[in-house]
Amino acid sequence: MTAGILGALFVKGAFLAALGSAFFYYRGSRNHHAIVPLARMSFHAAVIGLMSAAAILLYLILTNQFQYAYVWNYSSTDLPLPLLISTFYAGQEGSFTLWALYTALIGVFLMQYSMKREYEPEVMSVYSLILSFLLLMLIVKNPFEFIWDRFPDDLIRTGPIPAGVGLYVLLDDARSVWAQYPAEGKGLNPLLQNYWMVIHPQILFVGFSAMAVPYANAVAGLMRRDYTSWIRVATPWLVFGAMILGLGIILGGYWAYETLGWGGFWGWDPVENSSLVPWLLCVATIHTTLVQRKNGAYLRTNFALSILTFLAVLYSTFLTRSGVLGETSVHSFVDPGMWVYWLLLGCIVLFTAIGFGYLWVRSREMPLQPVQHSIFSREFALFLGAFALFFMAIFVTIGTSSPIITTIAKGKASAVEMSYYVKTNLPLGVIVAFLSGLGQLLWWKHSSGGSVLRSMMPSLGVAAAGTALLAVFATEEPAILLLAFCAVFSLVANAQVGYGIYAGNPKFIGGSVAHIGIALLFLGFISSERYDEQKTLTLEKGIPVQALGYEMTYKGYVPVDRDRYGFLVEMKKNGKIHTVAPTMYYSDFTKGLMRHPDLKNLLTRDVYVAPLSLEEPTSGRREQALELMKGEEGTAGDLKIRFRDFGDVDRTAMIEGREFSISAKLRVLESKSVKPKDVTVTILGSQSGMKPVPATLTTTDGKSYELILDRIMPDREDPSRSKVALKVVLPEDPSVPARGETLVVEASIKPMINLVWMGTVTLVVGFLLTIVRRIQEARQIGPSTES
Amino acid sequence: MNIKVIVAIVVLAAGLMLGVMNFMESNVEYADFNTAEQSGRKVQVKGVWMKDLESGFNAEKAQFTFYMKDDNQRIMKVVLEGAKPNNFELAESVVAKGRHESDHFHATEVLTKCPSKYEGDAEAVKNTL
């Protein structure tokens, strides 16, 4: 119990220390250098406090302390260790803790980094302020809340403690107030019980945390009227943020593809969009800062974009964490309460005011650098590319905010369809793909049309040939053809330029490699999303079905991982056999059926099988129920059945608990016959229960009926009104097909989806190479030489 | 004015126009079954699943059929392209996106609105004591 109180204290202490650090650093930046060591100490104190709080939370989760609301809400005793760790960030309190923790840890590196570049007081004052706001969130949304504080009416009692109440804790000894608490947690959402969830949120939150650094750098630059060299200090962090966040986004996409069964890796879901927008802005910033390095233009643009990148992180958090999106998405957004809502909104307003307020004040004294470049220059290509990325970010933001916009405009929240995102982003994607190739071929300042054209020849040629092939073999929309053309062009152009750079100065190859990654991603998107073949298959057990070029057979189910079942589907092609096992199970947590797809990753394609439902076997014989009074006649199929009387019951056997039987005497008449038959149907009774014994009846034309005594309903007052309930199984009817156990799946082929994963790896490598180069550059130049 | 600036403004304005039009077009309006029937347009209808009436998955067509009552108490057969949505049993209300067809509402997507986490929790906490 004390651990949680200690944890909450650590959070509060860390908040005060971070706030103090922000203040002391700010004083330090106003020429009170003596105070800087104190600011450093405060920051370190905040980091240690937060780390301690996080360690306590992890300890509470690992030791199943369900007296804490958070642990109870997201964990349970049956979770294996990796999943227990991932419950740390399964809820809002925990994921804010993780975000704050990574912000703090990055801050430790940032402090060292900016100290060397004499940028520490300004950068760290802004950064500490950001950290303190994240910590304030943890005070409002306390991860260490006791469960009886959340449910006081249900758990807190007064008076003597009755025996056998289970787990309880005495709150007030004098007034005998005590609280019960659970011995088991609610458990982790099965969608999150997945190894991707152990790694993917961590990477995303490192990315989110890293986005605060360019903001801090930009504001620091404004504070000390340094409008140029702050960029060199900020660039490695921009690239680092873009790399980590990009990786997190793709991993999230893979989780959706592999676990959620979306059928694709991207669904334009608010949660996905909310990490995409900061990434787009961050990448746009990387490109516009390149121009400023070269010719000093875009001073204001670079400040604005750096500030905006972080604001996009805050706005995204607001959208997905404040409950404003309500139920317009497949993710369910828990309403966290008014406090979080207003705090997040306050955060956005404050950091917008600081960033853009400072920019507005300073922009009047910033030198106006006229933009001097021709259309045939790398600067212009960079500018246009950044512009397109910026507009992508705007369109995605507008789409994601649709529930808010429509609430204001129409009074009722509604989300946009996926087609909105495709239609708005496709033309911009074409521009980005084209420029990512062209920009690399152009020279700074000015390129002569002829030389550019000459250097473009190989890539244009390959792209034209590829696109022509595509146009011949697949009917395709012009927009997609154009995107394919631009992607191939960019791929070849960057390979060509990259080779040239590699021969000259391999250190500078990062940009080309990253662009090759982007081109591969584009091609992967086109091939896997546009050329996927999809089919709903009804697979009866053991019977092969030809589909999508495979012979698919459902082989039955096997238990996998605890109480889940995998449904084995065998896929045969050219003598090779692959087996996939999509799973379906009933989840107590969601009170519904959970379905997870399975896929076979082949070199040129994925075969993706998503389960829809399992149909019980049907025999093809229908059943008919009859209720007959004594002497009454009923019809079933070709039979007329009359209930004559009950058979004799051995009452002594019944009382003594020996086996006994209840029977009914029937007279059955075929419609095509005149001679009735007498049939007796019985129920055998024993200590283990009642079991009907079916009576089979074959008619003169060879059809087989089954008569079953279902129930007897004796009438004690008037025995002549006693009834029996019969079930008659009718003979096989060719119009009702007999069918074994049947699995219904949605199978699809995703051609060349490996291009997406290849592109991701290439992109990350490109970013890494760039970070190395930019860190070296930031070290060589240093702040004092330019500012 | 500079010709480049004019071109830029025109491109910008056209882009924004397209964006706005797209936004309006892809924002599916809320309606009830009556207006859905009259307009024949793609709409989304909020209502509750009639658990007592028949529902089931058609394996051949891969469609899930159920009955739904909208806010005007009108009950309509809904045919969803796909399997029964997750959390369907748990949902306190559902939103069907699609258009009206001769005798039923043909939905391309059904979203489930689940009880707010904290409402169900007081009950859940008692169960885990």
Side-chain angles (χ1 to χ4, degrees):
Chain A
M1 183 171 159
T2 39
I5 295 175
L6 202 61
L9 271 177
F10 273 129
V11 170
K12 283 180 187 138
F15 165 70
L16 290 177
L19 206 59
S21 165
F23 177 73
F24 298 142
Y25 266 127
Y26 180 73
R27 297 288 297 160
S29 73
R30 310 267 106 179
N31 290 323
H32 295 79
H33 293 300
I35 209 168
V36 169
L38 183 62
R40 273 177 208 156
M41 246 166 61
S42 284
F43 190 84
H44 283 133
V47 175
I48 290 165
L50 182 53
M51 281 172 76
S52 313
I56 289 172
L57 182 60
L58 191 62
Y59 163 77
L60 296 179
I61 289 170
L62 294 181
T63 51
N64 296 312
Q65 311 249 354
F66 299 122
Q67 65 267 48
Y68 295 96
Y70 187 78
V71 183
W72 170 79
N73 215 344
Y74 297 103
S75 188
S76 58
T77 49
D78 59 348
L79 293 173
L81 184 65
L83 292 182
L84 267 183
I85 293 172
S86 69
T87 57
F88 186 96
Y89 39 83
Q92 288 205 338
E93 296 91 333
S95 43
F96 274 118
T97 311
L98 192 69
W99 185 8
L101 183 66
Y102 282 136
T103 305
L105 292 177
I106 287 178
V108 175
F109 291 101
L110 181 66
M111 186 193 286
Q112 297 299 318
Y113 177 90
S114 46
M115 211 185 287
K116 284 181 201 145
R117 287 156 188 87
E118 295 169 25
Y119 238 108
E120 186 192 356
E122 291 88 349
V123 170
M124 290 307 290
S125 69
V126 180
Y127 197 80
S128 302
L129 190 65
I130 292 169
L131 180 62
S132 60
F133 263 82
L134 290 174
L135 286 162
L136 186 58
M137 192 67 79
L138 291 183
I139 294 174
V140 171
K141 201 89 177 128
N142 178 12
F144 301 103
E145 188 187 9
F146 287 116
I147 193 155
W148 49 83
D149 288 335
R150 188 170 293 177
F151 308 105
D153 300 341
D154 298 288
L155 298 178
I156 297 183
R157 317 268 157 81
T158 338
I161 300 160
V165 284
L167 300 170
Y168 66 90
V169 61
L170 212 55
L171 296 180
D172 187 339
D173 208 0
R175 292 187 299 145
S176 62
V177 179
W178 54 282
Q180 248 185 309
Y181 66 87
E184 183 53 270
K186 268 172 68 188
L188 183 63
N189 187 333
L191 289 178
L192 306 180
Q193 295 191 19
N194 181 284
Y195 49 95
W196 289 107
M197 287 317 281
V198 181
I199 185 78
H200 149 241
Q202 314 238 22
I203 294 179
L204 267 187
F205 277 116
V206 173
F208 268 27
S209 304
M211 294 297 175
V213 181
Y215 177 89
N217 270 314
V219 175
L222 290 168
M223 280 164 90
R224 62 157 67 174
R225 294 187 164 80
D226 158 24
Y227 307 131
T228 49
S229 65
W230 72 275
I231 281 175
R232 288 169 203 276
V233 183
T235 299
W237 294 94
L238 275 169
V239 183
F240 173 73
M243 174 182 82
I244 292 289
L245 197 59
L247 188 63
I249 291 168
I250 298 277
L251 282 181
Y254 195 75
W255 169 65
Y257 178 61
E258 203 223 16
T259 306
L260 295 185
W262 280 0
F265 42 80
W266 195 255
W268 297 105
D269 186 81
V271 171
E272 290 182 311
N273 291 349
S274 68
S275 39
L276 178 67
V277 170
W279 187 81
L280 288 170
L281 289 173
C282 183
V283 173
T285 316
I286 293 172
H287 289 88
T288 49
T289 52
L290 281 176
V291 182
Q292 188 183 335
R293 285 154 175 278
K294 245 344 182 212
N295 65 12
Y298 302 145
L299 294 181
R300 292 165 192 78
T301 312
N302 285 326
F303 278 116
L305 278 177
S306 297
I307 291 165
L308 217 50
T309 302
F310 178 62
L311 293 179
V313 170
L314 291 181
Y315 182 67
S316 298
T317 310
F318 172 72
L319 275 185
T320 52
R321 303 271 166 181
S322 72
V324 284
L325 293 183
E327 300 294 330
T328 51
S329 144
V330 291
H331 284 79
S332 56
F333 296 106
V334 177
D335 185 355
M338 279 319 260
W339 273 103
V340 173
Y341 181 92
W342 288 111
L343 187 57
L344 280 170
L345 213 56
C347 245
I348 296 174
V349 172
L350 177 77
F351 287 107
T352 309
I354 293 176
F356 282 105
Y358 243 126
L359 180 58
W360 185 73
V361 169
R362 291 281 191 259
S363 80
R364 279 171 297 181
E365 59 186 63
M366 269 183 218
L368 192 68
Q369 186 82 19
V371 184
Q372 291 172 324
H373 45 64
S374 78
I375 289 178
F376 276 113
S377 67
R378 187 177 280 189
E379 289 94 320
F380 193 63
L382 284 167
F383 165 74
L384 275 186
F387 200 70
L389 288 169
F390 176 75
F391 264 84
M392 276 182 167
I394 294 288
F395 280 134
V396 175
T397 305
I398 291 174
T400 319
S401 315
S402 167
I404 301 176
I405 299 169
T406 48
T407 305
I408 294 167
K410 291 184 202 160
K412 210 154 192 191
S414 66
V416 288
E417 304 258 276
M418 275 219 296
S419 63
Y420 161 81
Y421 295 106
V422 177
K423 278 183 195 159
T424 47
N425 284 300
L426 188 57
L428 292 167
V430 170
I431 296 173
V432 168
F434 183 69
L435 290 172
S436 71
L438 181 69
Q440 293 283 71
L441 295 172
L442 292 172
W443 297 100
W444 295 103
K445 305 268 187 209
H446 181 76
S447 313
S448 77
S451 74
V452 173
L453 213 58
R454 258 196 306 286
S455 62
M456 276 168 80
M457 281 327 257
S459 31
L460 277 181
V462 175
T467 314
L469 276 177
L470 186 63
V472 170
F473 288 108
T475 44
E476 191 48 274
E477 293 174 30
I480 300 286
L481 281 179
L482 206 56
L483 183 60
F485 174 84
C486 293
V488 176
F489 165 69
S490 169
L491 182 69
V492 181
N494 277 292
Q496 180 192 341
V497 172
Y499 182 75
I501 294 173
Y502 182 75
N505 191 346
K507 265 191 211 164
F508 289 3
I509 203 172
S512 301
V513 175
H515 283 131
I516 289 174
I518 288 287
L520 289 174
L521 274 171
F522 272 123
L523 290 173
F525 293 157
I526 296 172
S527 65
S528 65
E529 296 280 299
R530 293 290 303 185
Y531 294 96
D532 68 329
E533 290 175 78
Q534 204 173 60
K535 227 172 169 177
T536 305
L537 302 176
T538 307
L539 303 174
E540 189 179 338
K541 192 172 171 181
I543 298 175
V545 171
Q546 294 291 338
L548 305 169
Y550 285 84
E551 188 183 285
M552 303 217 183
T553 319
Y554 167 51
K555 301 294 245 186
Y557 53 86
V558 289
V560 289
D561 185 31
R562 286 182 273 166
D563 50 352
R564 301 178 180 187
Y565 288 90
F567 296 84
L568 300 175
V569 177
E570 199 180 82
M571 305 179 299
K572 211 192 276 182
K573 189 183 194 179
N574 305 334
K576 268 191 226 159
I577 295 178
H578 305 291
T579 305
V580 289
T583 51
M584 275 192 284
Y585 56 94
Y586 177 79
S587 157
D588 263 338
F589 185 91
T590 58
K591 300 273 181 295
L593 186 72
M594 304 299 299
R595 312 183 188 94
H596 296 311
D598 194 17
L599 56 95
K600 181 76 206 168
N601 181 257
L602 302 169
L603 185 62
T604 57
R605 67 184 68 195
D606 272 9
V607 189
Y608 186 86
V609 178
L612 292 181
S613 81
L614 184 75
E615 304 290 309
E616 294 292 323
T618 52
S619 66
R621 295 180 72 173
R622 280 185 300 126
E623 259 184 17
Q624 191 180 338
L626 283 178
E627 255 186 47
L628 300 173
M629 254 193 300
K630 256 185 208 172
E632 196 183 349
E633 195 177 70
T635 313
D638 283 344
L639 302 182
K640 286 199 169 68
I641 302 169
R642 183 189 299 273
F643 169 41
R644 285 167 55 220
D645 200 356
F646 292 108
D648 294 327
V649 181
D650 184 351
R651 285 184 195 277
T652 18
M654 204 173 181
I655 290 160
E656 285 171 8
R658 283 182 282 124
E659 228 174 60
F660 66 96
S661 67
I662 301 168
S663 58
K665 293 174 186 163
L666 308 174
R667 178 156 293 170
V668 185
L669 183 68
E670 284 178 46
S671 61
K672 288 171 195 145
S673 166
V674 282
K675 201 172 158 248
K677 281 180 194 165
D678 279 343
V679 180
T680 306
V681 283
T682 40
I683 300 179
L684 268 185
S686 68
Q687 279 173 317
S688 57
M690 311 282 275
K691 217 175 101 192
V693 183
T696 315
L697 186 104
T698 313
T699 58
T700 42
D701 53 354
K703 283 183 181 163
S704 170
Y705 283 84
E706 224 169 69
L707 303 176
I708 298 162
L709 177 58
D710 196 26
R711 223 152 18 107
I712 57 164
M713 293 167 274
D715 192 320
R716 261 154 241 239
E717 270 138 49
D718 183 359
S720 71
R721 295 183 62 83
S722 289
K723 283 199 279 190
V724 285
L726 299 174
K727 264 196 270 180
V728 183
V729 182
L730 304 176
E732 261 177 55
D733 178 355
S735 68
V736 181
R739 210 185 47 195
E741 184 182 290
T742 300
L743 180 74
V744 186
V745 296
E746 197 159 78
S748 49
I749 304 275
K750 312 268 174 198
M752 302 308 285
I753 199 164
N754 282 345
L755 283 175
V756 174
W757 319 131
M758 236 167 83
T760 308
V761 174
T762 316
L763 182 62
V764 169
V765 170
F767 276 137
L768 267 177
L769 292 169
T770 309
I771 294 174
V772 172
R773 171 189 165 194
R774 295 301 180 192
I775 287 181
Q776 282 172 353
E777 172 198 81
R779 195 178 292 150
Q780 282 160 10
I781 288 163
S784 40
T785 50
E786 253 185 81
S787 56
Chain B
M1 211 196 276
N2 193 328
I3 189 93
K4 266 198 251 175
V5 176
I6 295 171
V7 170
I9 288 172
V10 169
V11 169
L12 254 181
L16 279 177
M17 275 276 285
L18 277 175
V20 169
M21 270 165 58
N22 247 314
F23 182 81
M24 309 274 269
E25 193 184 287
S26 65
N27 234 303
V28 182
E29 258 181 80
Y30 272 96
D32 52 23
F33 283 132
N34 286 334
T35 34
E37 190 174 359
Q38 281 152 21
S39 72
R41 272 188 316 190
K42 184 169 184 178
V43 289
Q44 39 188 339
V45 182
K46 186 168 160 281
V48 287
W49 171 34
M50 303 299 292
K51 290 182 191 186
D52 306 333
L53 297 177
E54 62 161 304
S55 66
F57 183 71
N58 179 328
E60 270 76 40
K61 292 187 191 157
Q63 288 173 335
F64 177 69
T65 308
F66 64 101
Y67 284 84
M68 181 176 144
K69 185 164 76 177
D70 72 0
D71 290 345
N72 285 339
Q73 312 301 315
R74 182 168 172 196
I75 296 172
M76 175 80 86
K77 183 167 138 186
V78 179
V79 177
L80 167 67
E81 287 295 332
K84 187 198 259 188
N86 285 341
N87 295 339
F88 200 65
E89 283 84 0
L90 202 65
E92 58 185 22
S93 69
V94 295
V95 176
K97 237 185 224 185
R99 60 179 82 237
H100 184 89
E101 277 175 17
S102 57
D103 67 331
H104 67 272
F105 187 79
H106 201 89
T108 50
E109 191 183 356
V110 168
L111 297 173
T112 50
K113 184 173 162 58
C114 290
S116 157
K117 214 172 155 101
Y118 294 112
E119 279 168 34
D121 272 5
E123 215 34 63
V125 77
K126 284 185 204 155
N127 292 336
T128 48
L129 281 177

